[in-house]
């Protein structure tokens, strides 16, 4: 890719900005409406007949408030202007807090082009050629439901109901699209493949769970204003959370220093006061190096560690387990010169996440004495046995000897003086906010950085502190799902799903163990481009499935391998949907903007049709209208009072209301935790078998110091891009104007060593597969690394090859002990050469 190519792209971007600005930042009328109308069903009246009203804006019949939420965390409210049942313009919808009043080119393109795309799946389509050939024939909905019923019943009779499996992802952030597979599996006693691990988003969660007892949490974005320093690990918010990037700018304007730790000079790094390029998969070592310096300088918060963490709890040197007297923990009271008991905080006094409400005072028995030792070695008698023990904090200090700034530098390739400087910045420029995201978790060891950062915040007194904290994925998105009552996910009484780890679905299907799985039905999941090890999937996994159903809006690469493709509505066609967000504490509803296009149906409508076909509709909750299901089960029965107290009628009227969480929300402000002790558990005895009782670092599975690097010396990353949310937008014409083709980012030293120049077609390969793409030589990536902007389809690469063929998925035993292995799309070694 030449410099002139970039100049041309810049001109296209500026042209697009001018075009958008000319229509109030949204969309011009006239010719655009004509083009869109040509894509609608023939029965529709041509919207081009509508005349502008003389203001430069299109004529319209109504404005409907919808929500754009394609797995890009923002869940932006959208006003859709509709003429003759056709969207002619969109613009941002009002929010109670207009700091969340926004939208982007992806959202514009989604509404104006994906809804009316010639690639829309218009009718139920049955495969007639070989799998993957793309040869389908149109069938009726009645025939499609009969085909599903026939195959499901055949599997039930031959293998049992668990032979029917369901797997859903997050391509639509509506509550129902995210739980539809669980609801279907529960209705028919089928297998539900979980999705956190296989989507690659579970690493940070597994860093949170052992020390904090929750999957994720973060202070509100507006809490950044007031931070003296913001340190980001693996966060490229300017591209992946660009709707919220203005909060970062506001914080900088208020005096905050922004530090970005990333192997790439990302768009976010370009806005930082300090970019720290790091060796991929070694962020934990950097955090531990910071801790080592802070503890050596005595700049940790001893009172905080003693009061709010289990740092004073004694650990048996022989067993590595916490020492207990009955149900109580033991600490060494230096004043009394003996071990004394500390009770766990009763569960009823802990916040029942996703609620943050707490009741009652902390009992005296659960408080650690002010004179409890944090350091030292002690001998005590427990139950008549002599025990040699140390406080957990002493073990933490001991562990940091392996991570002095110099030793950590040798691991992470960050100069020791920079590790010291960053540590000093963190403890001196307070309050300081730590933020962690997907860039760290998409390695085989991806839970370790988050665990280390929580330990860093924990020993310095920054958890639960305004404008500080350790922040990962707050908002209402996962909270509403985690708070669903059992009745909300059990539509058929007496029946339930059998969950299996989604990160093992390849192995389970390929081996047909622990039991046969013969049907797979996927929703909101572009597994044809977003999954790992593409060649194995096609060769070993899919052939074991007798029947594959894909519910989709457009014919994706994954859908082309289905036996049956079902047409699904877009956001603007849904009669009702509840929406939440990672970025704020609001709940929204979608108002139907246009009629359901062609023969598209919602996932909920399809489930109702199937229940009717099985003859069970009236005995299940599928008999409820979707709005009533939302009122009764999703909100009304929510286990979190912050959701159950929402006035549903008010929500329906206003279309957006705030869940009843505190204003200016600060994560962990109560300083009570859903851990066994009720404290921050710096020491996790359940992970001693894996050597992870304390934060630590070990190498990525395919790091460049691995023996395999002798053959494949480059780390292959595939980061998200500002142009598309995963694979959803990349084929849309307006997106193609600003991102016309894929390219591979390679550093000048790595390119020179291989005789590669920008614009050359190169082959990237390892033992799993290969693909071809144009190279972009850039200093914006650390030597030893490659990056392929993800989301592109096979047809976008020479020979319809694809980078997903390079990507491994290998189980991590420690992660499986916490939750389930996280798919690690950045943890891959490759080589590259001119094609």
């Amino acid at each position: 890719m030449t410099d002139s190519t970039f100049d041309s792209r810049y001109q296209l971007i500026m042209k697009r900005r001018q075009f958008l600005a000319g229509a109030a930042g949204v969309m011009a009328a006239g010719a655009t409406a004509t083009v869109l109308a040509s894509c609608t069903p023939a029965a529709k009246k041509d919207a081009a007949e509508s005349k502008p009203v003389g203001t430069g804006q299109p004529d319209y019949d109504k404005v409907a408030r919808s929500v754009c939420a394609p797995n890009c965390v923002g869940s932006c409210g959208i006003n859709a202007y509709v003429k003759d049942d056709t969207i002619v313009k969109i613009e941002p919808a009002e929010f109670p807090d207009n700091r969340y009043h926004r939208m982007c080119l992806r959202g514009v393109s989604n509404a104006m082009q994906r809804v009316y795309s010639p690639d829309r799946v218009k009718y139920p389509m049955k495969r007639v050629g070989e799998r993957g050939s793309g040869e389908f024939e149109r069938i009726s909905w009645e025939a499609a439901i009969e085909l599903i019923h026939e195959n499901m019943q055949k599997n039930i009779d031959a293998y049992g109901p668990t032979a029917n499996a369901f797997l859903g992802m997050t391509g639509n952030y509506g509550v129902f699209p995210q739980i539809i597979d669980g609801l279907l599996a529960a209705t028919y006693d089928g297998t539900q493949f979980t999705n956190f691990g296989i989507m690659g988003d579970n690493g940070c969660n597994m860093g949170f769970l052992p020390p904090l007892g929750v999957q994720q949490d973060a202070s509100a974005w507006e809490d950044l204003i007031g931070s003296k320093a913001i340190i980001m690990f693996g966060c490229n918010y300017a591209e992946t959370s660009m709707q919220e990037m203005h909060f970062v700018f506001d914080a900088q304007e208020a005096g905050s220093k922004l530090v970005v730790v990333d192997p790439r000079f990302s768009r976010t790094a370009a806005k930082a006061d300090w970019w720290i390029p790091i060796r991929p998969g070694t962020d934990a070592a950097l955090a531990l190096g910071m801790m080592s310096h802070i503890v050596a300088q005595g700049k940790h918060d001893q009172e905080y560690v003693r009061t709010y963490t289990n740092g004073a709890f004694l650990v048996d040197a022989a067993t590595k387990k916490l020492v207990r007297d009955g149900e109580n923990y033991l600490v060494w009271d230096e004043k009394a010169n003996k071990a004394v008991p500390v009770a766990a905080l009763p569960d009823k006094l802990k916040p029942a996440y996703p609620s943050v409400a707490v009741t009652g005072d902390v009992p005296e028995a659960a408080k650690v004495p002010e004179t409890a030792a944090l350091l030292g070695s002690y001998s005590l008698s427990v139950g008549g046995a002599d025990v040699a023990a140390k406080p957990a904090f002493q073990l933490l200090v001991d562990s940091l000897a392996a991570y002095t700034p110099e030793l950590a530098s040798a691991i992470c390739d960050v100069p020791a003086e920079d590790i010291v400087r960053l540590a000093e910045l963190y403890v001196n420029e307070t309050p300081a906010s730590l933020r962690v995201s997907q860039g760290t978790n998409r390695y085989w060891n991806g839970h370790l950085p988050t665990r280390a950062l929580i330990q860093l915040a924990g020993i310095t007194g920054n958890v639960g502190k305004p404008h500080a904290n350790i922040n990962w994925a707050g908002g209402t998105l996962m909270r509403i799902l985690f708070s669903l009552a059992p009745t909300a996910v059990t539509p058929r009484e007496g029946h339930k799903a059998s969950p299996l780890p989604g990160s093992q679905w390849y192995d389970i299907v390929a081996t047909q163990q622990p039991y046969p799985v013969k049907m797979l039905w996927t929703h909101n999941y572009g597994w044809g481009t977003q999954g790992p090890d593409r060649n194995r999937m096609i060769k070993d996994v899919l052939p074991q499935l007798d029947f594959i159903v894909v519910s989709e809006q457009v014919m994706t690469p994954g859908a082309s391998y289905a036996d049956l493709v079902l047409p699904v509505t877009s956001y603007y066609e849904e009669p009702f949907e509840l929406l939440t967000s990672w970025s704020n504490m609001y709940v929204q509803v979608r108002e139907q903007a246009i009629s359901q296009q062609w023969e598209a149906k919602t996932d909920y409508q399809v489930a109702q049709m199937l229940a009717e076909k099985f003859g069970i509709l009236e005995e299940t909750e599928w008999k409820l209208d979707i709005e009533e299901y939302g009122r009764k089960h999703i909100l009304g029965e929510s286990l979190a009072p912050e959701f159950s107290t929402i006035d549903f009628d008010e929500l329906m009227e206003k279309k957006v209301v705030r869940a009843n969480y505190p204003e200016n929300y600060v994560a962990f402000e109560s300083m009570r935790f859903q851990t066994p002790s009720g404290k921050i558990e710096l020491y996790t005895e359940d992970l001693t078998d894996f050597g992870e009782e304390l934060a630590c670092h070990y190498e990525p599975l395919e790091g460049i110091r691995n023996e395999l690097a002798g053959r494949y010396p480059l780390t292959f990353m595939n980061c998200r891009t500002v142009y598309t949310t995963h694979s959803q937008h990349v084929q849309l014409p307006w997106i193609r104007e600003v991102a016309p083709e894929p390219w591979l980012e390679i550093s000048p030293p790595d390119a020179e060593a291989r005789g590669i120049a920008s614009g050359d077609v190169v082959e990237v390969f390892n033992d799993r597969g290969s693909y071809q793409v144009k190279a972009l030589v850039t200093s914006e990536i650390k030597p030893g690394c490659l990056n392929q902007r993800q989301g592109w389809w096979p047809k976008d690469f020479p020979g319809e090859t694809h980078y997903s063929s390079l990507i491994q998925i290998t189980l991590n035993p420690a992660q499986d002990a916490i939750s389930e292995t996280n798919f690690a799309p950045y943890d891959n070694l490759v080589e590259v050469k001119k094609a």
Side-chain angles (χ1 to χ4, degrees):
M1 190 169 298
T2 64
D3 290 340
S4 62
T5 303
F6 277 103
D7 290 340
S8 299
R9 179 176 294 114
Y10 177 77
Q11 295 299 324
L12 284 169
I13 293 171
M14 298 308 296
K15 180 180 177 182
R16 174 59 52 201
R17 286 178 177 173
Q18 293 166 2
F19 174 66
L20 295 174
V26 185
M27 188 52 55
T32 302
T34 302
V35 172
L36 291 174
S38 69
C39 297
T40 60
K44 272 193 196 303
K45 180 179 177 181
D46 192 340
E49 296 176 7
S50 300
K51 301 297 182 184
V53 295
T55 62
Q57 300 295 323
D59 189 12
Y60 58 90
D61 300 323
K62 67 174 184 179
V63 180
R65 193 186 191 286
S66 187
V67 183
C68 182
N71 197 15
C72 71
V73 310
S75 298
C76 298
I78 298 293
N79 282 335
Y81 289 73
V82 177
K83 177 68 176 178
D84 295 334
D85 202 27
T86 301
I87 301 171
V88 294
K89 165 190 165 182
I90 68 168
E91 67 179 18
E94 295 298 316
F95 254 82
D97 181 346
N98 271 335
R99 286 176 291 188
Y100 297 100
H101 177 253
R102 68 284 177 92
M103 69 178 202
C104 69
L105 179 60
R106 292 185 306 220
V108 174
S109 302
N110 197 325
M112 306 300 289
Q113 294 187 319
R114 199 171 200 261
V115 171
Y116 301 107
S117 170
D119 295 326
R120 275 288 295 265
V121 180
K122 301 176 177 67
Y123 317 102
M125 305 295 288
K126 176 184 176 182
R127 178 176 63 85
V128 293
E130 293 293 321
R131 275 187 183 161
S133 67
E135 297 177 20
F136 292 87
E137 66 177 7
R138 175 183 176 182
I139 61 175
S140 68
W141 267 108
E142 290 75 13
I145 296 298
E146 173 61 37
L147 195 58
I148 297 172
H149 174 266
E150 175 187 327
N151 279 274
M152 287 181 64
Q153 190 61 56
K154 180 179 69 174
N155 290 337
I156 291 169
D157 294 340
Y159 307 105
T162 53
N164 298 316
F166 305 84
L167 174 57
M169 206 55 77
T170 53
N172 181 341
Y173 269 172
V175 170
F176 285 100
Q178 291 188 86
I179 66 173
I180 190 68
D181 293 271
L183 295 177
L184 286 167
T187 301
Y188 302 101
D189 299 293
T191 294
Q192 179 190 5
F193 286 121
T194 57
N195 63 14
F196 257 20
I198 191 62
M199 78 169 73
D201 288 355
N202 205 29
C204 291
N205 290 21
M206 288 187 286
F208 258 70
L209 274 167
L212 300 176
V214 298
Q215 298 261 6
Q216 51 192 224
D217 207 353
S219 296
W221 278 96
E222 50 265 31
D223 182 66
L224 278 178
I225 292 86
S227 300
K228 295 291 184 61
I230 303 169
I231 306 174
M232 297 182 178
F233 285 77
C235 305
N236 184 15
Y237 293 138
E239 294 201 72
T240 61
S241 296
M242 59 188 184
Q243 306 93 330
E244 274 65 58
M245 191 64 188
H246 68 90
F247 288 107
V248 179
F249 295 148
D250 291 343
Q252 286 181 288
E253 289 176 5
S256 179
K257 294 176 178 143
L258 175 62
V259 182
V260 173
V261 180
D262 197 315
R264 300 172 53 244
F265 189 65
S266 65
R267 291 189 179 212
T268 308
K271 303 299 182 184
D273 300 285
W274 183 12
W275 170 47
I276 300 178
I278 189 171
R279 184 165 72 89
T282 64
D283 300 75
L286 173 56
L288 290 161
M290 294 170 64
M291 273 187 274
S292 180
H293 175 76
I294 289 168
V295 170
Q297 298 297 311
K299 293 187 175 181
H300 55 287
D301 189 330
Q302 294 187 50
E303 182 180 354
Y304 184 99
V305 170
R306 184 178 291 111
T307 304
Y308 296 115
T309 83
N310 69 349
F313 290 10
L314 293 172
V315 179
D316 187 324
T319 65
K320 297 185 179 181
K321 302 297 183 182
L322 295 169
V323 182
R324 289 179 174 81
D325 182 6
E327 295 184 355
N328 294 324
Y329 303 98
L330 291 179
V331 302
W332 188 266
D333 189 327
E334 291 185 300
K335 182 178 180 180
N337 196 33
K338 65 177 183 179
V340 299
V342 175
L345 185 68
D347 287 343
K348 66 181 180 180
L349 300 183
K350 301 173 186 176
Y353 182 85
S355 176
V356 298
V358 295
T359 58
D361 296 328
V362 175
E364 288 299 317
K367 295 180 179 178
V368 177
E370 294 179 359
T371 51
L374 293 177
L375 301 173
S377 300
Y378 304 94
S379 297
L380 56 150
S381 177
V382 180
D386 293 333
V387 176
K390 292 182 179 182
F393 186 75
Q394 177 67 70
L395 295 176
L396 185 155
V397 172
D398 294 346
S399 74
L400 294 176
Y403 301 102
T404 64
E406 292 74 21
L407 293 174
S409 173
I411 296 171
C412 66
D413 283 353
V414 176
E417 57 268 28
D418 284 350
I419 296 176
V420 170
R421 178 184 163 200
L422 184 60
E424 293 286 340
L425 174 72
Y426 182 60
V427 293
N428 293 332
E429 298 290 335
T430 59
S433 175
L434 293 176
R435 302 195 75 92
V436 62
S437 193
Q438 319 288 48
T440 64
N441 91 20
R442 288 180 172 167
Y443 297 89
W444 189 72
N445 61 1
H447 62 297
L448 300 180
T450 303
R451 177 84 182 281
L453 291 169
I454 291 169
Q455 189 165 292
L456 173 61
I459 69 169
T460 54
N462 280 303
V463 177
K465 183 178 177 181
H467 317 304
N469 244 318
I470 171 69
N471 300 280
W472 155 242
T476 52
L477 179 70
M478 298 311 299
R479 291 179 186 277
I480 200 168
L481 300 179
F482 291 149
S483 67
L484 291 174
T487 49
V489 290
T490 311
R492 188 181 180 191
E493 189 175 354
H495 297 263
K496 63 180 182 179
S498 294
L500 286 177
S503 50
Q504 296 182 35
W505 84 266
Y506 281 20
D507 291 335
I508 290 167
V509 173
T511 64
Q512 295 290 290
Q513 295 293 330
Y515 51 72
V517 172
K518 293 299 181 182
M519 183 197 85
L520 179 66
W521 188 347
T522 67
H523 296 81
N524 305 295
Y525 184 21
W527 49 268
T529 59
Q530 304 308 117
D533 208 346
R534 176 181 174 84
N535 291 338
R536 184 189 178 212
M537 177 185 67
I538 294 172
K539 178 183 176 183
D540 299 333
V541 180
L542 299 186
Q544 298 300 321
L545 293 166
D546 294 338
F547 192 55
I548 303 172
V549 186
V550 172
S551 294
E552 256 298 355
Q553 291 177 12
V554 297
M555 190 63 74
T556 63
S560 70
Y561 282 91
D563 300 297
L564 179 65
V565 183
L566 303 179
V568 179
T569 53
S570 71
Y571 308 145
Y572 301 96
E573 302 157 44
E574 293 175 351
F576 169 86
E577 187 57 74
L578 283 166
L579 279 299
T580 46
S581 170
W582 261 9
S583 66
N584 57 60
M585 289 297 187
Y586 289 97
V587 177
Q588 302 179 75
V589 294
R590 284 193 181 119
E591 181 181 15
Q592 187 169 5
I594 57 176
S595 60
Q596 295 179 196
Q597 302 291 285
W598 295 282
E599 293 185 7
K601 296 186 183 296
T602 67
D603 295 329
Y604 193 86
Q605 289 168 339
V606 176
Q608 287 179 311
M609 294 173 67
L610 185 62
E612 185 172 24
K613 181 65 180 178
F614 270 92
I616 61 171
L617 180 62
E618 293 304 317
E619 67 182 73
T620 68
E621 292 302 273
W622 295 114
K623 65 180 180 290
L624 297 178
D625 174 85
I626 188 172
E627 182 180 319
E628 185 57 30
Y629 200 113
R631 177 193 292 268
K632 176 182 177 181
H633 291 306
I634 306 302
L635 289 183
E637 297 174 349
S638 175
L639 301 179
E642 290 86 351
F643 291 112
S644 63
T645 55
I646 289 174
D647 186 318
F648 191 85
D649 292 328
E650 179 187 8
L651 175 61
M652 291 300 295
E653 177 187 354
K654 295 181 177 179
K655 304 297 187 293
V656 53
V657 299
R658 183 181 171 88
N660 293 309
Y661 286 93
E663 295 289 339
N664 302 315
Y665 177 73
V666 176
F668 311 113
E669 194 168 29
S670 72
M671 293 307 295
R672 302 184 191 181
F673 302 89
Q674 270 196 316
T675 57
S677 65
K679 300 180 182 296
I680 301 169
E681 301 211 334
L682 302 177
Y683 190 94
T684 304
E685 61 182 349
D686 290 344
L687 293 175
T688 56
D689 289 347
F690 308 98
E692 296 187 27
E693 59 271 17
L694 290 160
C696 64
H697 165 78
Y698 49 77
E699 282 293 294
L701 186 70
E702 295 193 3
I704 59 173
R705 298 181 185 180
N706 185 303
E707 182 179 345
L708 186 62
R711 295 166 57 199
Y712 304 114
L714 301 170
T715 294
F716 179 78
M717 299 180 289
N718 37 101
C719 305
R720 264 181 58 179
T721 164
V722 72
Y723 304 117
T724 181
T725 302
H726 303 304
S727 61
Q728 284 202 36
H729 303 93
V730 73
Q731 303 300 330
L732 301 178
W734 288 336
I735 299 300
R736 281 305 179 95
E737 288 187 37
V738 294
E741 62 181 347
W743 63 89
L744 179 78
E745 298 168 5
I746 183 172
S747 73
D750 290 330
E752 183 178 1
R754 293 162 176 80
I756 294 170
S758 287
D760 288 346
V761 175
V762 298
E763 181 182 5
V764 190
F765 59 96
N766 60 21
D767 285 345
R768 290 180 289 272
S770 68
Y771 83 111
Q772 294 186 359
V773 64
K774 284 186 179 179
L776 169 63
V777 181
T778 173
S779 299
E780 295 176 355
I781 191 166
K782 185 176 175 65
C785 307
L786 302 174
N787 181 53
Q788 169 64 64
R789 297 299 189 96
Q790 60 120 314
W792 299 92
W793 294 15
K795 67 181 181 180
D796 298 315
F797 297 100
E800 297 201 5
T801 54
H802 198 261
Y803 59 86
S804 61
S805 65
L806 305 173
I807 299 173
Q808 58 87 17
I809 180 165
T810 304
L811 301 184
N812 181 319
Q815 291 187 355
D816 278 343
I818 300 170
S819 171
E820 68 174 88
T821 289
N822 188 58
F823 165 40
Y826 299 176
D827 197 340
N828 306 280
L829 284 173
V830 302
E831 180 57 286
V832 59
K833 64 181 181 181
K834 289 180 69 171

